């Protein structure tokens, strides 16, 4: 409506999945000068909330309009294949159950980062992981998926995030193509669903005592399901390396990584 005495050289809208987007995020350029204009935003993810602001730039800088927000629809033909829950991204790998898998480990902000290590049934990290300081060793317990007192995914990410069950770990590995690869210099597993979507699981190894072991060689990821044999000593996890993968059980006191899931 006004250029403030200096010609508007660029105008349009900018948008982001975070509030107060700027021209350094995504933007359109819709001409110059004063007057009304239309903007066409493309390549948005389905089922995602976006923030958008108009902008105008002249020799004095860039000014922004009032922030607006909208959420894209999930569309048709099976719904969205990617999205965000409580600030954390997910991918639908086309699994029979429809389970959505997170793109990052708990404690990581990028797919290739290892994130945090947790003893099974614990929601905080610690300097040493032993049988003696395990919270759940020798306790008879039900599946902890979604229980914020024991589930590291639910306790740290909130929303509908939770640890995968043993059955969901089996479903992931049995219904996807798993490839040992390197991403951003980090070894790990690329897990690709039949719909072509994929996630990357870094080979973060595990914590035993105060040491991190087999980093870059093995991935050890907790499930939420306890193994009731051997005096309630173990829990199920899924394990992979360059040689393949398996769902197994091991001592609850070890520090393993956690990859959340949601419905």
């Amino acid at each position: 409506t006004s250029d403030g005495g200096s010609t508007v050289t660029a105008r349009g809208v900018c948008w982001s999945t975070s509030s107060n987007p700027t021209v350094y995020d995504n933007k359109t350029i819709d001409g110059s000068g004063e007057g009304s204009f239309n903007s066409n935003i493309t390549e948005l993810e389905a089922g995602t909330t976006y923030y958008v602001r108009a902008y105008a730039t002249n020799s004095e800088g860039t000014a922004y309009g009032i922030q607006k927000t909208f959420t894209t629809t999930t569309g048709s033909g099976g719904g969205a294949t990617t999205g965000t829950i409580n600030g954390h991204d997910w991918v639908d790998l086309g699994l029979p159950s429809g389970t959505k898998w997170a793109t990052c480990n708990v404690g990581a902000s990028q797919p290739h980062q290892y994130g945090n290590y947790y003893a099974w049934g614990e929601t905080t990290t610690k300097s040493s992981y032993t049988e003696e300081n395990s919270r759940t060793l020798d306790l008879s317990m039900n599946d902890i998926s979604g229980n914020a007192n024991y589930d590291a995914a639910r306790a740290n990410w909130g929303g509908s995030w939770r640890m995968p069950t043993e059955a969901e770990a089996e479903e992931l590995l049995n219904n996807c193509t798993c490839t040992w690869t390197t991403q951003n210099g980090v070894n790990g597993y690329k897990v690709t669903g039949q719909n072509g979507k994929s996630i990357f699981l870094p080979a973060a190894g595990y914590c035993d005592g105060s040491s991190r072991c087999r980093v870059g060689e093995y991935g050890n990821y907790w499930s939420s399901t306890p193994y009731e044999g051997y005096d309630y000593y173990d829990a199920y996890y899924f394990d992979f390396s360059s040689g393949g993968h398996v769902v197994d059980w091991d001592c609850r006191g070890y520090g393993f990584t956690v990859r959340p899931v949601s419905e």
Side-chain angles (χ1 to χ4, degrees), residues 12-14 37 52-56 63-67:
V13 296
C14 52
F37 58 90
V52 60
R53 297 195 292 180
Y55 76 89
Y64 296 94
I66 297 171
Q67 176 173 278

Side-chain angles (χ1 to χ4, degrees), residues 212-227:
R212 286 203 303 168
C213 308
R214 312 304 292 269
V215 176
E217 300 177 39
Y218 283 87
N220 301 83
Y221 286 76
W222 282 127
S223 83
S224 61
T225 306
Y227 179 73

Side-chain angles (χ1 to χ4, degrees), residues 25-81:
D25 295 306
N26 303 289
K27 69 176 181 180
T28 66
I29 300 177
D30 303 297
S32 59
E34 298 177 359
S36 62
F37 58 90
N38 295 320
S39 297
N40 184 30
I41 301 175
T42 62
E43 298 183 7
L44 301 178
E45 296 287 350
T48 304
T49 298
Y50 288 93
Y51 301 86
V52 60
R53 297 195 292 180
Y55 76 89
T57 300
N58 65 11
S59 60
E60 299 301 312
T62 298
Y64 296 94
I66 297 171
Q67 176 173 278
K68 303 290 184 179
T69 185
F70 63 89
T71 301
T72 53
T73 63
T74 57
S76 59
T81 53

Side-chain angles (χ1 to χ4, degrees), residues 7-250:
T7 301
V8 172
T9 56
R11 64 189 189 182
V13 296
C14 52
W15 69 94
S16 173
T17 55
S18 301
S19 60
N20 298 317
T22 73
V23 292
Y24 297 103
D25 295 306
N26 303 289
K27 69 176 181 180
T28 66
I29 300 177
D30 303 297
S32 59
E34 298 177 359
S36 62
F37 58 90
N38 295 320
S39 297
N40 184 30
I41 301 175
T42 62
E43 298 183 7
L44 301 178
E45 296 287 350
T48 304
T49 298
Y50 288 93
Y51 301 86
V52 60
R53 297 195 292 180
Y55 76 89
T57 300
N58 65 11
S59 60
E60 299 301 312
T62 298
Y64 296 94
I66 297 171
Q67 176 173 278
K68 303 290 184 179
T69 185
F70 63 89
T71 301
T72 53
T73 63
T74 57
S76 59
T81 53
T82 59
T84 302
I85 299 171
N86 236 27
H88 301 282
D89 294 338
W90 55 262
V91 174
D92 182 351
L93 297 167
L95 298 169
S97 68
T99 301
K100 302 176 178 70
W101 282 78
T103 61
C104 294
N105 291 346
V106 176
S109 59
Q110 298 292 330
H112 66 277
Q113 295 174 346
Y114 298 142
N116 295 333
Y117 298 80
Y118 298 93
W120 189 84
E122 300 185 20
T123 60
T124 58
T125 60
K126 50 192 179 183
S127 58
S128 181
Y129 296 79
T130 66
E131 295 181 22
E132 290 73 23
N133 67 19
S134 168
R135 243 182 97 191
T136 66
L137 202 71
D138 299 328
L139 294 180
S140 176
M141 299 179 67
N142 296 320
D143 196 294
I144 62 174
S145 187
N147 184 337
N149 292 318
Y150 301 102
D151 184 330
R154 179 61 59 87
N156 288 280
W157 281 17
S160 58
W161 290 114
R162 58 180 177 80
M163 293 169 66
T165 64
E166 182 267 338
E168 287 167 335
E170 294 272 13
E171 179 188 52
L172 176 75
L173 299 175
N174 291 337
N175 288 273
C176 295
T177 300
C178 302
T179 307
W180 180 260
T181 187
T182 301
Q183 183 170 311
N184 288 78
V186 175
N187 291 336
Y189 240 20
K190 182 178 181 181
V191 182
T192 305
Q194 294 180 7
N195 62 0
K197 296 293 184 179
S198 64
I199 58 174
F200 179 74
L201 299 168
Y206 62 95
C207 288
D208 183 8
S210 57
S211 300
R212 286 203 303 168
C213 308
R214 312 304 292 269
V215 176
E217 300 177 39
Y218 283 87
N220 301 83
Y221 286 76
W222 282 127
S223 83
S224 61
T225 306
Y227 179 73
E228 295 282 277
Y230 306 122
D231 297 323
Y232 315 116
Y233 183 86
D234 299 313
Y236 285 99
Y237 73 105
F238 60 100
D239 168 282
F240 60 84
S241 68
S242 60
H245 56 259
V246 67
V247 176
D248 205 346
W249 58 85
D250 211 333

